[in-house]
Amino acid sequence: YALASRALNLTSAAASAGTLSATLNSASPTTQSISGLSTTAGVYTAVKLMDFDLKATSGPINVSLISGTLTSTGTIANDVASAELRDGTSVLSSVTGAGTFSFSSLNIEIATGTTKTLSIWVQAKDINTGSVVKADGINAAVTAVTASSGTNFTSASITPTVTGNIMYLYQYAPTIALS
């Protein structure tokens, strides 16, 4: 049997390294009073500080670390027990302490041309046992995002400053309705 010869031409294209940007999400909470803080020692209240967007362009991105700062008009160590990074209702990472946060060992995939919205929450301490002083204001800022892109794991790390609005902490706060 005679076999015809065939030629295969293989071409390869290198994957584009992605770029990353971070911005405050338009649905991020505005400056406001947060009521309902516990008066029982050791009982914490979850408070959303900000929503922020990470956008991948030119190629896919894998985020491995997000870090930043927490600030207070009072004393941050008295106001905050822990900080959390959330994707919707899912807690991706949590760190105890106050002042700074560093959510490490993340594996957040962001496809090319898409935006991932994440949130920073804190567990606010109770209000009547010498912790939170009524009307203390807290906010968060994302200051570094470590990521990689492409098959060679090219660095796509950025140092943005994405700052959320101030949330004022109260046990009780008025609700105003216009009629």
Side-chain angles (χ1 to χ4, degrees), residues 57-80:
T57 54
S58 305
I61 296 289
N62 181 282
V63 176
S64 57
L65 181 132
I66 296 171
S67 61
T69 60
L70 298 171
T71 56
S72 172
T73 59
T75 304
I76 195 70
N78 290 344
D79 295 339
V80 174

Side-chain angles (χ1 to χ4, degrees), residues 28-40:
S28 190
T30 59
T31 297
Q32 60 187 290
S33 296
I34 304 296
S35 62
L37 266 64
S38 175
T39 59
T40 305

Side-chain angles (χ1 to χ4, degrees), residues 22-32 34 46-54 66-71 83-88 101 103 116-122 138-145 160-167:
T23 56
L24 188 66
N25 183 283
S26 61
S28 190
T30 59
T31 297
Q32 60 187 290
I34 304 296
V47 176
K48 181 192 241 185
L49 297 183
M50 69 185 293
D51 291 322
F52 64 100
D53 294 330
L54 296 177
I66 296 171
S67 61
T69 60
L70 298 171
T71 56
E84 299 171 345
L85 176 67
R86 293 188 185 188
D87 181 1
F101 55 84
F103 304 115
K116 183 73 164 172
T117 301
L118 301 169
S119 302
I120 303 292
W121 289 68
V122 293
I138 55 174
N139 73 320
V142 172
T143 58
V145 180
T161 300
V162 180
T163 305
N165 295 304
I166 297 175
M167 302 297 130

Side-chain angles (χ1 to χ4, degrees), residues 131-155:
S131 293
V132 175
V133 175
K134 293 173 185 154
D136 275 0
I138 55 174
N139 73 320
V142 172
T143 58
V145 180
T146 302
S148 60
S149 178
T151 55
N152 293 328
F153 304 106
T154 303
S155 173

Side-chain angles (χ1 to χ4, degrees), residues 161-179:
T161 300
V162 180
T163 305
N165 295 304
I166 297 175
M167 302 297 130
Y168 294 98
L169 306 175
Y170 292 95
Q171 181 183 0
Y172 304 108
T175 302
I176 299 172
L178 301 175
S179 56

Side-chain angles (χ1 to χ4, degrees), residues 97-120:
T100 62
F101 55 84
S102 182
F103 304 115
S104 58
S105 301
L106 301 174
N107 186 21
I108 302 170
E109 296 284 340
I110 307 172
T112 306
T114 62
T115 300
K116 183 73 164 172
T117 301
L118 301 169
S119 302
I120 303 292

